[in-house]
Amino acid sequence: AASEPAELPTSLPATAPARGELVMGEPIELEVVAPPPLPAPKLADDREFLRGLLVRPDGGEPAAVKDTHPGDWLAKAGVGDGQAFRLEGYFDVPEDDVYQFQVRFAGELAVEVDSAALAVGDRADWQFLPVPLAKGLHRLTVRAKPKGKPSMSIRFGGPGCTSLDEKRFLHAAP
């Protein structure tokens, strides 16, 4: 059973510019309530999983990726300049909580967890994508097309984020 959403009381200071000065108002009291976690999907029992993630370049051969930390991991996986690709992986979370993906990428980008789209902007700098997840195995799908040379930094965690690697991620055998 999913746990109750965490309620986090906090206050937000109210400020406004007035005649060249910053005027402070009374703080606004807020209570942040996390949305219900995405349930772990049911997977076919006969699926074979391998360590790491799978990159599928459009028109190219799928390639297993053991670590997304090196700057050239996409090129080594066969993704060319401006070539669209899909990154797939499965990951386990130990408890119901709000987790986060962190992504830095220049180009078209879509990130899904268990077929639920995360709110991705069109910026090339770091984006922080929170996702509430229930305990269990979840699926990550990233669809992307770089503006030029393929380069992506992607991390996951809660608390603390690390690059995606074969220690935490699996992929279905192609």
Side-chain angles (χ1 to χ4, degrees):
S3 62
E4 290 296 316
E7 295 180 5
L8 306 171
T10 190
S11 63
L12 184 65
T15 61
R19 292 183 226 151
E21 294 183 30
L22 191 60
V23 178
M24 301 290 290
E26 290 295 318
I28 300 168
E29 298 296 320
L30 300 173
E31 191 170 290
V32 179
V33 178
L38 292 173
K42 302 278 188 230
L43 302 176
D45 292 335
D46 61 348
R47 229 178 220 188
E48 179 186 0
F49 287 101
L50 304 171
R51 290 245 157 259
L53 297 110
L54 192 66
V55 174
R56 296 179 184 271
D58 280 6
E61 292 296 316
V65 173
K66 294 184 182 281
D67 190 354
T68 64
H69 186 267
D72 61 349
W73 68 272
L74 281 170
K76 285 183 178 178
V79 177
D81 292 2
Q83 184 179 22
F85 66 93
R86 190 169 73 219
L87 175 67
E88 303 168 350
Y90 292 84
F91 61 100
D92 191 44
V93 295
E95 62 187 358
D96 293 8
D97 206 343
V98 177
Y99 296 86
Q100 178 175 243
F101 282 93
Q102 299 175 351
V103 184
R104 184 172 60 191
F105 181 75
E108 298 171 23
L109 178 67
V111 180
E112 295 178 357
V113 174
D114 303 331
S115 300
L118 303 186
V120 176
D122 59 0
R123 304 182 328 260
D125 58 344
W126 282 105
Q127 296 190 55
F128 304 97
L129 312 173
V131 58
L133 299 171
K135 177 181 178 176
L137 192 67
H138 295 270
R139 181 176 188 200
L140 168 69
T141 305
V142 176
R143 290 177 182 81
K145 183 176 181 183
K147 284 187 178 176
K149 182 178 176 184
S151 177
M152 175 186 284
S153 295
I154 183 165
R155 300 174 182 160
F156 174 74
C161 289
T162 59
S163 295
L164 310 190
D165 62 26
E166 66 181 349
K167 294 175 190 166
R168 291 190 68 185
F169 282 78
L170 304 169
H171 67 274

